[in-house]
Amino acid sequence: MDVHALIAAKLGSYGPLPEAAQRALREIPFTVREVATGTQIVRDGGPPARECSLVLDGVAIRHKTTGDGGRQIVAVEIRGDFLDVAHLFLDVADHNVEALTPMRVANVDRLKLRVLALDHREIGRALWIQALVEASIAREWLTNLGRRDARTRIAHIISEMALRAESVGLSPPDTLNLPWTQEQLGDVTGLTPVHVNRMLRSLEHDGLIAREGRSITILDRAALHAAGDFAPLYLHLAEQGIDPETGDPPRQAAR
Amino acid sequence: MDVHALIAAKLGSYGPLPEAAQRALREIPFTVREVATGTQIVRDGGPPARECSLVLDGVAIRHKTTGDGGRQIVAVEIRGDFLDVAHLFLDVADHNVEALTPMRVANVDRLKLRVLALDHREIGRALWIQALVEASIAREWLTNLGRRDARTRIAHIISEMALRAESVGLSPPDTLNLPWTQEQLGDVTGLTPVHVNRMLRSLEHDGLIAREGRSITILDRAALHAAGDFAPLYLHLAEQGIDPETGDPPRQAAR
DNA sequence: CGTACCCTTGAAAAAAATCAACTTAAGTGG
DNA sequence: CCACTTAAGTTGATTTTTTTCAAGGGTACG
């Protein structure tokens, strides 16, 4: 995958990039890096990452820990997401960022990205949208944790991750290949691993999903969405040219 | 309160505003409006507010509802917060915004604010920081809902709101005058009103807080923070020149 | 002085966590 | 290639937390 093309597509999916912005983009020094599973990219309380990474492959999570050792995953980042837009203009990190799988990322110097964001309207706009969509997802997760029961939460997060993965061309429709352990799924949904297990089996028993190892297949999308109280509006996919039902990627010509 | 001064202070608290930005700010047409309790400022699924409001007085909440009628408050906005930075670059609202008390707000045209954010580095930077801090608060709330028990959640949100209120000069130290019903407190913490009541009495019984009507006084700040697993780093107050312990406001001369 | 709207309290039910095996799967090194 | 080891998944029994249900009590406001 051509990195410049991905960046331009990502930043340009909300509107055309003028020549000056494209030139500025092409001139950013970026480096493609491999990141091993478990690597701490940002540490809570420390400085933000010196480089802001665009995820090319693999999965990263943002997480926080409580005083008594609990862990809450507060975001999942996949292909096309910028790691650490969350700290772009802050001097102290307020959460951890960690590679959940082996990753490939394109690194851009943080300060250079700041300057780009402020100097080029279209790039600024694109980064704004990424940040605002991420905040919107956090609000939906708040609703998920605060007001939905365990089974609904699990169905919801499966629905969301499947759609997001499809929308960036990661998995075939209705398949979820995130290699999450049930403990990690618990850290996303605020449940214990034991209870996650029971809810997964409940969804499987009812014919909504099938499982093989850690890969999940959605057998009845409408039913799963209903079980998860899932309405994808909050992902703002339509505004990015993506079909919010199927996750079909943006037509590059559009706009 | 002079509105222009408040806006300039808000936007300038992260760094000096150059003359051009100040001039641009002075030239924004804004209107001060009274907003009645219960007014729906933004409706989920509809268009974002045509005007972006800066809160001068009163309290607004962001909330979402679930399919079975549950309600989750996902953010609380007080003096100095911009309503609807969350939708500044989005075309569809993903949550509701509602006046919880009578409010006074300064309205700025949404599209004009966009242009300002993109054309003036310092204004853009200030709005970025506001958005990023709000996202940071959402992540902390996620941790609160996902991994802390009921009593801890209540202690945490009281600690947070007291500090935020102090930091904008809303209440004397260690007093919380947000006129929340226990039901609304439940909508913030993902609990039932009955359980909120029990937890409040527990905190009161243990001498951490005192209550009179709906006003809460913090009797033992350190103990309340401990009970709420509260560490204010995530509010990024220090980066705004505010003392993260006491909430003392920024010294205007600084930076 | 009534009438909402909250707050408070107790008892019972439900949901989820905890505890404690046991099973399966996936390496790893002999 | 197999035995061994470790991490993760599964299951049942029990305990804890929180919700639900229901009934009073207080208070502000027309």
Side-chain angles (χ1 to χ4, degrees):
Chain A
M1 182 184 324
D2 176 36
V3 178
H4 271 133
L6 181 65
I7 294 179
K10 178 75 191 166
L11 296 180
S13 61
Y14 314 105
L17 287 181
E19 183 51 37
Q22 290 191 30
R23 200 171 338 108
L25 263 181
R26 273 196 302 274
E27 282 166 7
I28 312 176
F30 69 85
T31 52
V32 175
R33 284 270 171 72
E34 308 283 330
V35 178
T37 301
T39 304
Q40 298 289 326
I41 299 165
V42 177
R43 214 171 291 268
D44 193 353
R50 212 162 38 80
E51 314 231 288
C52 193
S53 309
L54 177 68
V55 179
L56 301 176
D57 277 301
V59 179
I61 54 166
R62 304 177 185 282
H63 68 98
K64 305 192 73 157
T65 53
T66 59
D68 62 350
R71 174 172 123 133
Q72 178 67 43
I73 295 176
V74 296
V76 178
E77 310 292 349
I78 61 177
R79 177 185 297 165
D81 292 328
F82 273 100
L83 295 185
D84 249 17
V85 167
H87 291 131
L88 191 57
F89 290 90
L90 298 176
D91 298 330
V92 183
D94 53 62
H95 62 273
N96 308 287
V97 181
E98 180 183 333
L100 198 68
T101 67
M103 302 183 69
R104 210 162 54 89
V105 301
N107 279 336
V108 184
D109 182 81
R110 181 180 139 74
L111 298 179
K112 287 214 174 71
L113 191 62
R114 271 197 194 182
V115 171
L116 275 181
L118 294 176
D119 282 359
H120 292 273
R121 286 174 164 232
E122 294 73 18
I123 295 176
R125 203 174 108 86
L127 288 171
W128 261 108
I129 290 176
Q130 152 122 19
L132 294 184
V133 170
E134 193 156 327
S136 172
I137 293 174
R139 287 188 291 266
E140 182 67 25
W141 285 26
L142 275 172
T143 310
N144 214 26
L145 293 187
R147 289 304 187 198
R148 296 194 183 111
D149 65 19
R151 190 167 181 274
T152 312
R153 283 185 220 177
I154 296 284
H156 191 282
I157 190 69
I158 292 175
S159 301
E160 173 185 314
M161 290 315 303
L163 186 55
R164 285 176 58 193
E166 286 166 34
S167 78
V168 293
L170 261 191
S171 22
D174 294 335
T175 314
L176 192 55
N177 242 322
L178 302 183
W180 289 357
T181 65
Q182 293 178 4
E183 183 171 15
Q184 289 160 350
L185 209 41
D187 287 342
V188 169
T189 50
L191 301 168
T192 57
V194 173
H195 208 55
V196 169
N197 180 278
R198 293 196 232 265
M199 296 303 109
L200 281 175
R201 325 210 94 236
S202 162
L203 293 172
E204 187 176 34
H205 173 267
D206 293 350
L208 304 189
I209 62 172
R211 296 181 306 145
E212 199 178 328
R214 289 181 190 162
S215 136
I216 292 173
T217 306
I218 299 177
L219 296 179
D220 185 340
R221 183 195 294 224
L224 186 69
H225 285 194
D229 193 21
F230 179 74
L233 184 85
Y234 70 94
L235 293 173
H236 294 276
L237 293 176
E239 288 157 85
Q240 297 168 50
I242 299 170
D243 185 319
E245 281 309 311
T246 65
D248 283 345
R251 302 138 296 166
Q252 288 305 338
R255 302 258 61 229
Chain B
M1 184 184 324
D2 177 37
V3 177
H4 271 134
L6 181 65
I7 294 178
K10 179 73 190 168
L11 296 179
S13 61
Y14 314 104
L17 288 181
E19 184 51 36
Q22 290 191 30
R23 200 170 338 106
L25 264 182
R26 273 196 302 273
E27 282 167 7
I28 313 176
F30 68 85
T31 50
V32 175
R33 283 269 170 72
E34 309 283 329
V35 178
T37 301
T39 304
Q40 298 290 325
I41 298 164
V42 177
R43 212 171 291 267
D44 194 352
R50 211 162 39 82
E51 314 231 287
C52 193
S53 310
L54 176 69
V55 178
L56 302 177
D57 277 302
V59 179
I61 55 166
R62 305 177 183 281
H63 67 98
K64 305 191 74 155
T65 53
T66 59
D68 62 351
R71 172 172 125 133
Q72 178 68 42
I73 294 176
V74 295
V76 178
E77 310 294 349
I78 61 177
R79 176 187 296 166
D81 293 327
F82 272 100
L83 295 185
D84 248 16
V85 167
H87 290 132
L88 192 58
F89 289 90
L90 299 175
D91 297 331
V92 183
D94 52 62
H95 62 272
N96 307 287
V97 181
E98 180 182 334
L100 198 69
T101 66
M103 301 183 70
R104 210 162 53 91
V105 302
N107 279 336
V108 183
D109 182 80
R110 182 180 138 73
L111 298 179
K112 288 214 174 70
L113 191 61
R114 271 196 194 183
V115 170
L116 274 182
L118 294 176
D119 282 358
H120 292 272
R121 286 177 164 228
E122 294 74 17
I123 295 176
R125 200 173 111 85
L127 287 171
W128 261 108
I129 290 175
Q130 151 123 20
L132 295 183
V133 169
E134 193 156 326
S136 172
I137 293 175
R139 288 188 291 267
E140 182 68 24
W141 284 26
L142 275 172
T143 310
N144 214 26
L145 292 188
R147 289 304 187 200
R148 296 196 183 110
D149 65 19
R151 189 168 182 275
T152 313
R153 285 186 219 176
I154 297 284
H156 191 282
I157 190 68
I158 292 175
S159 300
E160 174 186 314
M161 291 314 304
L163 186 55
R164 285 176 59 195
E166 285 167 34
S167 77
V168 293
L170 260 190
S171 21
D174 294 334
T175 314
L176 192 55
N177 242 322
L178 303 185
W180 289 358
T181 65
Q182 293 177 5
E183 182 172 16
Q184 289 159 350
L185 209 42
D187 287 342
V188 169
T189 51
L191 300 169
T192 57
V194 173
H195 208 54
V196 169
N197 179 278
R198 295 195 231 266
M199 297 302 108
L200 281 175
R201 323 211 96 234
S202 162
L203 293 173
E204 187 176 33
H205 173 267
D206 294 350
L208 304 189
I209 61 172
R211 296 181 305 145
E212 199 177 330
R214 288 181 190 161
S215 137
I216 292 174
T217 305
I218 299 178
L219 296 179
D220 185 339
R221 183 196 294 223
L224 186 69
H225 285 195
D229 192 22
F230 178 74
L233 185 84
Y234 70 95
L235 293 173
H236 294 277
L237 293 176
E239 288 158 85
Q240 297 168 51
I242 299 170
D243 186 318
E245 280 309 312
T246 64
D248 283 345
R251 301 140 297 165
Q252 287 305 336
R255 298 261 60 229

